[in-house]
Amino acid sequence: MTLKGPWSSRAGVVNLAGYGPARDVRSNSTGSGAVTVDAAEDAVDQYLDDVKLERVEKFSKDEPDWIPRRGELG
């Protein structure tokens, strides 16, 4: 089996390469990793009232990212 890249410590780099959208996640018990934005939105919808993911651009290369925000967006 061949795994396709790119590989990066940031989901934004993967998003820029067209393999996303993905979102970085961190946990005290499991360390860090990434999930698809769809999976992150499902988790937010299921467990966090009044929280939505907002698309923002970060870092010098305008990497797309989705950050949690309270309240209605947009």
Side-chain angles (χ1 to χ4, degrees):
M1 175 166 82
T2 302
L3 298 176
K4 293 185 178 185
W7 304 106
S8 174
S9 62
R10 293 193 320 267
V13 173
V14 176
N15 292 334
L16 281 176
Y19 286 89
R23 168 79 177 104
D24 290 324
V25 292
R26 289 176 182 78
S27 167
N28 289 339
S29 62
T30 61
S32 64
V35 297
T36 65
V37 170
D38 286 342
E41 286 175 336
D42 288 346
V44 166
D45 289 345
Q46 184 172 358
Y47 296 106
L48 301 173
D49 292 332
D50 198 34
V51 174
K52 298 292 180 197
L53 295 180
E54 177 184 11
R55 187 184 188 281
V56 297
E57 292 181 355
K58 296 172 59 175
F59 305 113
S60 63
K61 294 188 178 183
D62 297 328
E63 297 172 17
D65 193 11
W66 286 259
I67 58 173
R69 298 270 194 216
R70 288 204 178 273
E72 293 293 320
L73 297 176

